[in-house]
Amino acid sequence: MKHKYSLLIPLAFCFGELVAQDHGLGKAKLWPEQDEKSKFYTVAGERHGQSFFKKHQFPEVEYTPGEKLTFDIYHTPDVMYHWYKIWAEKYPDITELYEVARSFEGRPILQMTITNKKTGKHTDKAAAYFEGGRHGGEVTSSESVLWLTQHLLENYGKDPEITKLIDTKTIYLRPQNNPDGTNMYLFTEQRNRSTVRPYDVDRDGLMDEDPEEDLNGDGVIHMMRKKAVTEEDKAKANYILDPRDPSGRLMKRVFDGQGEYLMFTEGIDNDGDGRYNEDGIGGLDLHRNYPENWRPDSGGDMTGRGYTQWGAGEYPLSEIETRSTVLWLLSHPNISVVNSLDTRVPMHLRPPSTSGSEESMFPEDLAIYKKFDQMGMDITGYPWAGDVYETYSTRYKVNRLTGDPLKPNPLFGHGPDFGYFYYGAIWYGDELWNNGAMKDYDEDGIYDDYDALMWDDEENGSRGFKPWEKFDHPQLGEVEIGGFHPKFFSQNGPPWQLESWIRKQSLFNLAMAKELPQIDLLATDIKKSSDGTYEVKVTWKNSGGLPVALEQAKRVKIVQEDRLMLDFDRELTKGFEDAKVQIVSPELYDKTIYAGYTKAGETKTATFKVKINQSEPVKAKLKILSTRGGYIEKEIELGK
């Protein structure tokens, strides 16, 4: 079920009751980012710390839509939605814009379906789904979905491959799955992991009581460094000036008590527990809230000997943002390919997240994933592709502080694990951007802050790093504030780098969509047998690059096997042996032909036998039903 998104009156889709709810004809709520009269941005929810912050606009962000959409600047959710509404009006034959949910704070979460409506319903076609913005601050991910949307629409009718894709497949696009977190990130100095729902990060019984503060008033939360003077500070000091940087800007982590500096994020210790900014707005992680291999949040293991997962939430799908994704996907089992995008590590990231690939994946499925891993690296140039548990966790082999070898590390409630093990699809959680570390300047085999600093100096005009400036801190005394820009250098790139990253990522997503399964009806041969029955021989082929079902999809029964049916007018098939039309083969009462799962490139045939007990010819609808390969219907005539 879906509803068109009116440009004036949005309709919400309520998964709980499966009905549309009209949010009223009155004036729409004025969100804090839209309230030009207020100098403060207020976050919803009851918490023990402050809920309002001074508004700030970043030069890297476009806050009002321009005449043309460009990707040399970041865009707010409202600006993105502006363009989606324009596209829905401009391309009505191939788009549908609708609301799939309302966020924690009540903002609409919009999604677009792209397919040629004249060639069939979107649910009758093989499909892919691409999502961004789950983590509020990882705004590059949303820009990639926005870029792909524009690329598909503007090239339909011009690019033969894109035209064929939209004529025969369905692409679902959700650019902002967490508009609450993204708006707070783009309109204030505040940052958070995902949803803004109040959350007790430090487990002291208080919610959001110790957020970061912009002490020097520049609108950005940088780092603070404090020279260790007292014996107490010296015992905890765990940073030194990195000897690779003679300018004294870069800090290097060492063991506690072996350093000369203490490091903090900018702000004060609001709750007096000796820690700084450890419990800011929100903290739940939407990417740890999926039902597959979910584990209790920190403190939820009563034995102290099991696994927990920080940011997991109260229970699987406790958050509307993840719940809306999962319930919507389960109602659209025609989807074979998903990428739910994040930022900061340039990697094509996939399942498994709690075990090794060879240990827990079907070999046939793993071969497909490895094919896409290589395809992704060839297109994007990312240095890594592989699973979360082993590849991601051990990509640098040793712990740089201790020197110990890195070991595989589980991550629970992760989207890609849900996508493969539960939903039976190809599901990536790709990471865009690289923290500014473009090349290995010191040739130590690791892309780290030193490499980012060198690139910033050489290519970015040193705009990504704020030189350290002295500041009289109300609790710490003399400190220095500075470091990398956390929003538009570390977590997301400088705007002039944006399009190159989102374009490459989008082209990988597009390449995967072009591999979707595709059931094509090749022939329908009808002939009369010597016994007077008619044989209807059906030949079809999966012309796509993916099978209609991964082996895992078969195991969890998310995908039915391919089926063929002949539908006659019910009046013709009444009366059993006396019926005017009898399907004599299949011989069972169930006249459906169950054809198994069609592999990529595989051709299959199946035959019906039909007896006609009247002189006039009869018509029937031949139907091929493939959950992920598409739906085909053709009228045939027997008895001419």
Side-chain angles (χ1 to χ4, degrees), residues 107-171:
R107 287 179 177 81
I109 298 174
L110 300 190
Q111 184 167 298
M112 177 170 277
T113 296
I114 299 180
T115 192
N116 185 347
K117 298 175 184 178
K118 295 178 181 178
T119 60
K121 296 191 300 183
H122 64 97
T123 50
D124 287 345
K125 301 171 184 176
Y129 169 79
F130 302 114
E131 170 191 280
R134 173 186 46 243
H135 293 149
E138 299 180 3
V139 292
T140 307
S141 64
S142 293
E143 298 291 342
S144 183
V145 177
L146 183 68
W147 191 98
L148 178 58
T149 307
Q150 183 188 55
H151 183 69
L152 290 171
L153 296 178
E154 292 189 348
N155 284 283
Y156 180 73
K158 300 174 184 177
D159 182 302
E161 289 189 348
I162 289 178
T163 302
K164 180 181 178 181
L165 180 71
I166 294 175
D167 282 344
T168 60
K169 311 292 194 303
T170 299
I171 309 296

